[in-house]
Every structure is written in C-alpha cells, then in structure tokens.
C-alpha cells in the first residue's frame, strides 16, 4: 500500500501524496492528526484535476475521528487506508507529534546567553535538549547524498536582533564509517545562503573550495524548496534573540536647566517688586518711592 511518502489504493491508477499536520496547542494532550491525501503522478508531480480528501485520525487507536458525509468512492478509500496502514506507522506519527510539541515549547521559552551575540546558533540546539550532539543533529537536520557521499546538513542562524543579515549557514557533515564499524560525523565545510536561495560563500572549509562549492550548489539545485523552512526558522531564532538580547535602550535626554527666581514678597504686586527705592512713587505725589508709600509702616 505504501511507496516511500506515497500511498497507493487498489481502485486508483495514481498514488496519493499525504500531508500530515497536528494540533499546535501546547496545552493540548491529544494525539489526533489531520491527513490530507492528494492524487499525484508517480514522481510526485500534481495532476491537473487531482482527487483530494482529508481525514482526522486518532494516532493511539488508528481510528477516524468525526467522519463527515462524503461520496461513497472517497469513503471506500478511507476504509482501505485505515485497514491497511501499518499500526507502527501511526506510532511513528505519534512520536513526531510529541517532538513537535516539545520543539514548539522550547521555541517559546528558550533564551540565549547575551555573550553569544556574535555566534551562530544551530536550530537543532534550540529545539532539542539532547546532550548527544550527533543524535540531536540527526533528529532535526537534513540529509543529502552526492557522488557517493552522504551528508547531514545542520542549519545555523545569527541570533543578534540588531543584525538583518537574512542568511542561513548550512554545515555539511559527512557520514563516515569508522574502523570500528561505527558511523561518525565529520564537518567538511559550511556554506552561507541568502534566504531567497542565492549562494553567498564557503566558510570553515576542510577540503578544496571548488569541491565544497560544487556540493553546496548541487544541494541548492535539488533541495531548493527547503528555503521556505529556513525563512521560518530564521524568524524564530531572531525572536529568541530579541527576547534574550534586548537592544540597548537610549539614555533619556538631560533635564532642562531651570533658573530659580525668588518670588516677590507677599502682598507686593509684580510692578512694585521691580520698582527701585529712588523711583517716583506710583501714587502720583511726585516724591520718591522711599519717601512716600515705600516708607516702613505705610500700608
């Protein structure tokens, strides 16, 4: 019934590509999955008028939840899928669901030491708490085979919120069998790409630059659809950077200098407060102010 990521039905000429999505609520413990089936060519190319349907499955029991009313032909396909799909595959999907919830929870709470502002952060480091670096990278990295070599590709990002580099740095690790029949990972080089897919440069190169650039461009040619994932991950790492490394808050402007002015004595008008003792008295007597109304004891 299965062929790679495609599902075959006995009554249909073409296979169906299956897209899987889960509940994203971090507080929800359900194990439901929504599976969307789209009829495609054998190579995965979409048909002009494909048959499409969706089912909601409980991954613990392997049974459909809330089946809607639908045509008899689609109902027969759903029954065939639920009967013939291996139970262990539902278990794998449930494990993936738990991994996604764990990853989303870490993305919402993870912080980066501000001292690492100038470092690149591996996405696998953020969303997986495993201490085994190889196991962590294998769970969330990408795989690529080229000219007889198998590579694990780990994506890194700049977390500095003040940097708008719009780059993803891909570390190419080759899987090599050691003399003890154990698979080891050896970092060969790191390639920088713009988030629109443009190749930028090779760094940390442990082999010839031309060979590394050839592998990086071959990966870009065959796996270019991954940049949609990289753009999302870039924004997630920047959000963590903004939470962990807030930009410097500018100092408040200095307070204006206010000159102190002594108030006039109580009961004295502003005009009188500015009048000198030798000025003419405002009462019109013609005498000086100090000899008339300015004398002490005069109301």
């Amino acid at each position: 019934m299965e062929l790679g990521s495609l599902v075959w039905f006995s009554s249909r000429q073409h296979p169906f590509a299956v897209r899987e999505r889960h509940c994203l609520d971090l507080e929800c413990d359900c194990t439901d999955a929504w599976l969307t089936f789209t009829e495609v060519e054998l190579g995965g190319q979409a048909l002009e008028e494909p048959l499409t349907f969706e089912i909601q499955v409980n991954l613990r029991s392997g049974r459909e939840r809330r089946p809607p009313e639908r045509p008899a032909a689609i109902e027969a396909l759903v029954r065939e899928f639920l009967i013939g799909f291996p139970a262990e595959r539902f278990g794998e999907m449930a494990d993936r669901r738990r991994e996604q919830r764990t990853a989303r929870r870490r993305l919402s709470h993870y912080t980066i030491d501000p001292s690492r502002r100038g470092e690149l952060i591996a996405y696998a480091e953020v969303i997986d708490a495993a201490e085994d670096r190889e196991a962590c990278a294998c769970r969330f990295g990408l795989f690529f085979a080229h000219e007889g070599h198998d590579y694990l590709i780990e994506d890194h990002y700049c977390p500095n919120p003040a940097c708008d580099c719009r780059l993803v740095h891909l570390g190419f690790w080759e899987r090599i069998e050691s003399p003890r029949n154990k698979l080891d990972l050896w970092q060969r080089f790191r390639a920088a790409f713009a988030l629109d897919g443009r190749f930028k440069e090779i760094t940390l190169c442990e082999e010839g630059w031309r060979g590394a650039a050839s592998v990086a461009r071959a990966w870009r040619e065959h796996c270019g659809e991954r940049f949609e994932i990289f753009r999302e991950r870039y924004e997630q790492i920047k959000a963590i950077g903004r939470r962990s490394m807030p930009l410097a808050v500018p100092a408040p402007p200095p307070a204006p200098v206010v000159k102190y002015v002594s108030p006039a004595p109580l009961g004295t008008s502003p005009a009188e407060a500015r009048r000198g003792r030798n000025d003419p008295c405002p009462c019109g007597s013609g005498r000086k102010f100090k000899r008339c109304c300015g004398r002490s004891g005069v109301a």
Side-chain angles (χ1 to χ4, degrees):
M1 186 175 181
E2 296 180 74
L3 178 62
S5 60
L6 302 179
V7 173
W8 290 82
F9 293 96
S10 59
S11 60
R12 304 296 298 187
Q13 176 185 359
H14 297 97
F16 284 72
V18 183
R19 183 169 60 88
E20 173 188 346
R21 60 186 179 87
H22 301 271
C23 173
L24 299 180
D25 186 358
L26 296 180
E27 305 302 325
C28 178
D29 293 327
C30 74
T31 56
D32 288 358
W34 286 259
L35 306 179
T36 303
F37 296 76
T38 305
E39 198 171 16
V40 296
E41 296 282 359
L42 181 58
Q45 299 84 2
L47 297 174
E48 291 185 2
E49 296 182 0
L51 178 63
T52 301
F53 62 93
E54 183 178 77
I55 62 175
Q56 181 181 352
V57 181
N58 183 281
L59 300 177
R60 289 196 184 100
S61 64
R63 297 180 179 179
E64 184 180 13
R65 305 248 318 185
R66 305 181 183 89
E69 294 185 4
R70 53 199 170 204
I74 295 181
E75 184 68 27
L77 296 178
V78 173
R79 286 200 303 269
E80 182 179 351
F81 172 77
L82 294 177
I83 293 173
F85 196 70
E88 59 269 18
R89 291 294 305 277
F90 281 128
E92 293 173 3
M93 294 165 66
D95 292 340
R96 242 185 342 262
R97 155 69 172 151
R98 285 191 291 271
E99 290 176 359
Q100 290 177 352
R101 292 182 72 249
T102 300
R104 289 183 62 83
R105 186 176 293 110
R106 285 181 63 83
L107 283 170
S108 63
H109 297 92
Y110 192 84
T111 57
I112 300 172
D113 190 333
S115 65
R116 303 181 64 186
R117 182 184 296 268
E119 297 182 20
L120 294 177
I121 303 298
Y123 188 79
E125 172 192 338
V126 173
I127 63 177
D128 197 297
E131 296 181 0
D132 186 347
R133 194 215 151 278
E134 181 176 343
C136 176
C138 289
R139 285 160 60 85
F140 296 99
L142 309 169
F143 293 93
F144 178 59
H146 179 68
E147 297 182 350
H149 298 274
D150 295 326
Y151 295 95
L152 169 70
I153 301 175
E154 193 178 39
D155 49 325
H156 301 73
Y157 305 88
C158 167
N160 187 352
C163 175
D164 190 27
C165 58
R166 309 292 298 174
L167 293 175
V168 55
H169 302 261
L170 302 182
F172 284 73
W173 297 73
E174 186 176 0
R175 295 171 63 92
I176 300 176
E177 187 172 350
S178 67
R180 293 176 295 174
N181 296 322
K182 179 183 177 182
L183 286 178
D184 291 333
L185 291 176
W186 295 86
Q187 186 173 21
R188 292 305 189 189
F189 63 92
R190 185 180 289 169
F193 288 85
L195 292 180
D196 60 7
R198 289 178 294 119
F199 172 69
K200 302 293 287 185
E201 62 179 354
I202 296 290
T203 58
L204 299 179
C205 188
E206 302 243 346
E207 56 187 63
W209 187 93
R210 291 184 181 276
S214 175
V215 174
R217 290 195 172 97
W219 177 88
R220 170 65 182 87
E221 181 179 351
H222 291 89
C223 305
E225 72 279 358
R226 295 290 183 178
F227 281 93
E228 182 177 352
I229 299 175
F230 295 152
R231 286 190 286 270
E232 180 181 358
R233 291 181 174 183
Y234 174 89
E235 297 300 336
Q236 291 171 342
I237 297 299
K238 286 298 185 184
I240 293 174
R242 288 190 291 271
R243 181 168 66 239
S244 309
M245 311 170 189
L247 296 174
V249 180
V257 178
V258 179
K259 294 182 179 180
Y260 178 76
V261 178
S262 299
L266 202 60
T268 306
S269 68
E272 293 173 343
R274 293 190 300 269
R275 187 177 303 279
R277 290 173 52 79
N278 293 318
D279 292 340
C281 187
C283 68
S285 64
R287 290 179 292 179
K288 293 182 179 180
F289 176 70
K290 65 181 180 179
R291 299 294 184 184
C292 186
C293 297
R295 290 181 300 172
S296 60
V298 177

